[in-house]
Amino acid sequence: DYYKVNYFDAREYFLEQKEKSHYPLFSKSGSHWSQYGACLVVQEILDRLAGASKRTLGRIDCEPVTVGYEPRGKDADLLELTNLWTPSVFKGETPYPTIRVSADKTTERPNVLFVGDSFVWHLVDVMDANNMYQHRDFYYYFNRNSTYPNKSFDPIDKNTLDWEKDVLSHDIIIVEVNETNFSQIGFG
């Protein structure tokens, strides 16, 4: 607030949504947001970015939701690690949004840079699948760069990084940090 940096506190947002949501925001069998929770985060980020940047960005809707009882993808990442004989304790109501994009000919598809940890994978999965940007870089732990649409995943050499070309040339920069990584903010 002091430096007037736009930020979104997903933890605070989830605490508010927890009371309102009909669906779990974290899955019982995953270590990250549920796919539904990630969709809500993307929806909120896009709304805030559109307001702050005065850009016409695509809007996503996370409804309708299909509820499954067999977690899949990132909603099952912990379950897959457990190697339990009977994993049913981790199975339960898992919401899967049917994501719809609202866009028209005035909708912009900016170049976006994400810097963050494994929580960003949920965000870029939603945004990549819905073609929400022209180009996307994701500096994963500021050690590797995952790109879209060409789908590369290359090491980042911090010594030769051209800040003007590789970082500041993006229309939007999103830095994600969760509480477990506060001591490593920026990752590099």
Side-chain angles (χ1 to χ4, degrees):
D1 289 331
Y2 180 80
Y3 291 104
K4 297 185 169 92
V5 172
N6 290 316
Y7 70 92
F8 167 60
D9 185 340
R11 180 185 175 280
E12 193 65 36
Y13 176 75
F14 272 18
L15 288 174
E16 293 168 9
Q17 292 302 311
K18 187 177 178 180
E19 301 303 316
K20 302 176 199 173
S21 179
H22 300 312
Y23 307 105
L25 303 172
F26 285 85
S27 71
K28 288 174 66 172
S29 55
S31 60
H32 298 87
W33 304 316
S34 67
Q35 288 186 27
Y36 177 71
C39 185
L40 293 178
V41 169
V42 170
Q43 186 179 58
E44 186 68 19
I45 288 172
L46 289 172
D47 287 349
R48 288 174 181 236
L49 283 171
S53 68
K54 308 295 186 238
R55 292 176 177 268
T56 305
L57 301 175
R59 172 126 174 62
I60 67 167
D61 188 5
C62 303
E63 304 284 340
V65 172
T66 303
V67 176
Y69 292 90
E70 190 72 36
R72 59 184 187 261
K74 290 177 188 59
D75 286 335
D77 60 1
L78 281 180
L79 180 62
E80 291 169 359
L81 291 173
T82 61
N83 196 27
L84 294 173
W85 186 266
T86 310
S88 59
V89 68
F90 287 104
K91 295 181 180 179
E93 183 179 279
T94 309
Y96 293 98
T98 303
I99 299 171
R100 292 177 293 157
V101 177
S102 300
D104 60 27
K105 61 183 175 195
T106 65
T107 301
E108 295 179 49
R109 291 177 44 240
N111 293 320
V112 179
L113 168 64
F114 289 90
V115 180
D117 59 33
S118 56
F119 276 79
V120 173
W121 287 119
H122 257 317
L123 306 180
V124 299
D125 285 351
V126 170
M127 296 177 80
D128 287 5
N130 292 285
N131 202 25
M132 302 299 295
Y133 24 63
Q134 192 74 28
H135 175 82
R136 184 260 305 146
D137 288 294
F138 167 26
Y139 290 2
Y140 179 60
Y141 286 100
F142 211 78
N143 288 313
R144 298 189 68 83
N145 182 16
S146 164
T147 62
Y148 171 90
N150 57 345
K151 303 283 186 184
S152 65
F153 193 55
D154 300 316
I156 295 172
D157 183 350
K158 296 173 192 115
N159 296 320
T160 62
L161 189 69
D162 182 338
W163 284 87
E164 287 291 325
K165 180 174 114 353
D166 298 331
V167 177
L168 300 176
S169 64
H170 291 83
D171 301 314
I172 295 170
I173 300 173
I174 297 172
V175 179
E176 176 273 331
V177 180
N178 67 61
E179 296 96 273
T180 59
N181 290 322
F182 275 159
S183 64
Q184 301 173 44
I185 203 163
F187 308 104

